[in-house]
Amino acid sequence: MLADDNADMRAYVERLLGQDHEVVADDAEALKALRAGPANLLLTDVMMPVLDGIGLTRAVRADPSLCTVPVIILSARAGAEAGVEGLEAGADDYLVKPFSAAELQARVRANLELARLRAEAQEQAVQARKMGAVEQLDRGCRACGPSGTRTPREETSMRR
């Protein structure tokens, strides 16, 4: 998804990234659209008329259904302080205008790949927790007698 109030910038980024993404004119509209159906990535301008890019980034990070969406802030504000502000708000990347087409495309690809790897790692962690729970249940069942409960003698030996 691209959120930028500048029509020329929206058209330029669309040409660079292709037509297969949603484009909105302000960050409040972007938040509404994201909540309706999350995007794979959010590109947002930092200076917007309704809700700025920093506010949008904070809102995305605070929403459990959106918090994993990669956010790249585009800004005409150069300097370390501006970039730090965006990153501290939760942006994954901060790109100063004017930027090269190749740099934007590379950053979008890198952030999409990182998001994919994070989702994969999270799924593996969930599966590992499930396997750990199954193993713990299995050990507990083996400790029980044939009736599925421990005998008084087994209870006493378990407490030691």
Side-chain angles (χ1 to χ4, degrees):
M1 173 179 290
L2 170 63
D4 199 309
D5 60 332
N6 181 304
D8 291 335
M9 182 58 71
R10 287 192 310 266
Y12 175 64
V13 172
E14 271 191 294
R15 280 192 309 275
L16 293 178
L17 301 179
Q19 303 289 323
D20 60 341
H21 56 275
E22 189 167 357
V23 179
V24 295
D26 69 63
D27 284 357
E29 195 179 325
L31 188 57
K32 182 179 174 183
L34 283 167
R35 287 183 171 147
N40 293 331
L41 181 123
L42 171 64
L43 281 171
T44 181
D45 187 17
V46 76
M47 292 185 272
M48 300 283 275
V50 180
L51 174 68
D52 70 5
I54 302 296
L56 175 60
T57 300
R58 287 187 178 120
V60 166
R61 292 298 176 240
D63 187 322
S65 67
L66 301 175
C67 65
T68 60
V69 173
V71 177
I72 300 174
I73 294 179
L74 306 174
S75 179
R77 292 172 48 202
E81 284 183 26
V84 168
E85 182 184 13
L87 296 171
E88 285 180 345
D92 295 282
D93 211 342
Y94 189 95
L95 190 56
V96 177
K97 300 174 188 175
F99 48 80
S100 74
E103 183 177 15
L104 176 64
Q105 292 166 332
R107 288 181 187 229
V108 166
R109 277 192 308 272
N111 277 283
L112 287 171
E113 179 64 12
L114 286 170
R116 185 190 68 74
L117 291 171
R118 278 188 212 111
E120 201 174 278
Q122 185 176 7
E123 180 59 30
Q124 289 174 354
V126 166
Q127 292 302 322
R129 283 194 298 275
K130 285 179 183 177
M131 291 303 296
V134 167
E135 289 171 5
Q136 190 175 9
L137 284 171
D138 187 46
R139 282 193 304 273
C141 288
R142 281 186 270 146
C144 295
S147 65
T149 59
R150 293 187 179 110
T151 64
R153 185 174 175 193
E154 290 169 328
E155 284 292 330
T156 303
S157 68
M158 292 292 290
R159 288 187 200 128
R160 293 184 194 160

